[in-house]
Structures are given as C-alpha cells and as structure tokens.
Amino acid sequence: MGSESPETVKSRSSFDPGFAELPRSMAIFPLTGALLVPGGRMPLNIFEPRYLAMTRHALAQPDRLIGMVQPKQRGIERKTDPDFQPEVEQVGCAGRIISFEETDDGRYQVTLSGLIRFQIRNELPRDAGGFRLVEPDFAPFAGDIVQDDYTLAGRARFIATLKGYFETRSATVDWKAIDAMADRQLVISLAMLCPFSPDEKQALLECRDLVQLGEMLLALFELAVRGRTDDQRPFH
C-alpha cells in the first residue's frame, strides 16, 4: 500500500509483474468477507464450474491474476444461479496465483498473493466459462507493488489493545509468534484474519496506506474492547 507514481513503480518480487505489465482485463471473484490486501496471502478452495473456469483462465495468463471483490449485498454470491450477477464493490485487490493443486474430487486449491488494489473502470461481457471480467484501473494504487519501509507507530499500545480484543473473542493466540512478527506482516495478517464485518473489511481494504491501515485496525480493536467493557457495566 503506497502512493508512488506509475512511472517509478517496480514490482516487489522478481515473479510479480511490473506496473506496465498489468492486464487490461481481469477475472473477478466476488466473495463476501474475503479480504486480500497487497502483501497478504489467501488460500482458496475452488469448486463451482464457473470459478474452475476462472482459475484455468488465470493460469493461462502471464500474470496469473484474479481480482478479489466483495458483493455490495453481503452473501448474495451464494445464490446458485450461474446467470445471477450481483453488484460488487468498486475497489478490490488483484492476487497472483503462487500455488496450485488439483484434488481427486475435482477441486482446485490455490493460494493468491496480494499484488495491487484496483478500481473497476468497466465491467466486460462475461467469459464463455461463466465468470466475470472487468477492466481494472490500477493507477490509483500504483504504490501497492512496492515494499516500502514501514514502522507501526506505538506498537506496545497496539499489542496491548490487541490482547484486549482477543480476550473479547475468547481466542487462543500464540503471543510469541505475534511478538516475532515484523510490523508489516503483523498489520497485514491481522487485517486479513481477524473476524471483522464485511463492511469493516472493505474499509480496511480502501485505507490509503499501511499507516492508515494500522490506525484503523487499532480503532476497531479499541471499539471492540470498549464495547465489551460497556456490556459488563452494572445497571443502576
């Protein structure tokens, strides 16, 4: 997550496409509550025929990108009618397939590596395989593909609030692993893995950069902790 101009942007990995190599059209996968951010990794279990076709299509492209987006009406994508096309959020994240496995029961298990966010400029006619295609605009998020230095301001306060948040969820946490995480990995992992609402996840995705993402995470943790404290107050 960054703000550099497209002309100066180089990819963070030798396997990732550079900005100039990003596609003019891309398959999208509408999925409620699925937050992929640049630098994060998302496992997917693909079994619907249209999304099996989507995966084959992505694997055949040089960039191997799939655009993860949320439907505006949460959960509506679970309708089984393949002709149903729910309205989706305008901002999503393109993930590159970095691992791929076929299963004996006809599924694909893939892992996406978050590359760069995009805005949907136009929706294109659906592919013959039934999946949706869009014309993405990557320019507003060109800095996403650069791994700048990042320091989480007030990490001690952040971790203390995080502990309170996990207490509200009665979650078991490996705090040694948390403490060992670099700031970038910590913020990205928490944004993707914490059980936020779909609307909260969309807000996290649309944060300007990692600094704002860390600030919003802290605010969400504090809100959850404060809500629990309020619930435990006695009535008079």
Side-chain angles (χ1 to χ4, degrees), residues 194-212:
C194 286
F196 299 121
S197 72
D199 288 341
E200 289 168 339
K201 290 187 175 186
Q202 189 65 30
L204 289 169
L205 176 66
E206 296 185 24
C207 282
R208 178 184 64 254
D209 52 24
L210 280 174
V211 173
Q212 190 176 62

Side-chain angles (χ1 to χ4, degrees), residues 15 17 33 35-36 55-56 66 77 91 104 108 153 160 167 169 226 229-230 232 234:
F15 292 107
L35 175 62
L36 178 64
T55 304
R56 290 191 291 269
I66 292 172
E77 78 280 4
V91 176
D104 291 339
Y108 291 147
E167 286 175 4
R169 312 292 304 189
R226 187 162 58 247
T229 302
D230 291 343
Q232 291 176 342

Side-chain angles (χ1 to χ4, degrees), residues 41-170:
R41 293 191 175 185
M42 173 182 286
L44 289 174
N45 182 39
I46 310 292
F47 55 88
E48 283 190 56
R50 55 182 161 172
Y51 296 128
L52 293 172
M54 173 197 72
T55 304
R56 290 191 291 269
H57 169 85
L59 288 168
Q61 310 307 309
D63 47 70
R64 303 202 306 272
L65 293 181
I66 292 172
M68 297 301 301
V69 292
Q70 290 200 99
K72 286 191 173 180
Q73 188 175 347
R74 309 309 189 194
I76 197 71
E77 78 280 4
R78 295 188 180 93
K79 286 194 173 185
T80 56
D81 181 0
D83 294 326
F84 180 66
Q85 190 161 299
E87 187 177 1
V88 296
E89 296 285 356
Q90 288 302 294
V91 176
C93 183
R96 186 172 64 84
I97 297 176
I98 59 171
S99 70
F100 164 79
E101 183 180 0
E102 299 175 352
T103 67
D104 291 339
D105 58 355
R107 294 176 291 115
Y108 291 147
Q109 293 180 334
V110 304
T111 300
L112 298 183
S113 176
L115 179 65
I116 182 173
R117 291 169 292 170
F118 63 93
Q119 290 179 343
I120 295 177
R121 180 176 287 149
N122 292 301
E123 180 131 8
L124 303 172
R126 279 192 303 179
D127 183 87
F131 58 89
R132 297 166 68 175
L133 293 164
V134 300
E135 179 187 355
D137 182 6
F138 297 107
F141 308 106
D144 284 356
I145 62 176
V146 178
Q147 187 160 310
D148 296 324
D149 292 335
Y150 169 68
T151 300
L152 175 62
R155 178 165 173 138
R157 175 191 171 196
F158 186 92
I159 294 295
T161 309
L162 178 63
K163 288 181 178 178
Y165 170 78
F166 280 135
E167 286 175 4
T168 69
R169 312 292 304 189
S170 300

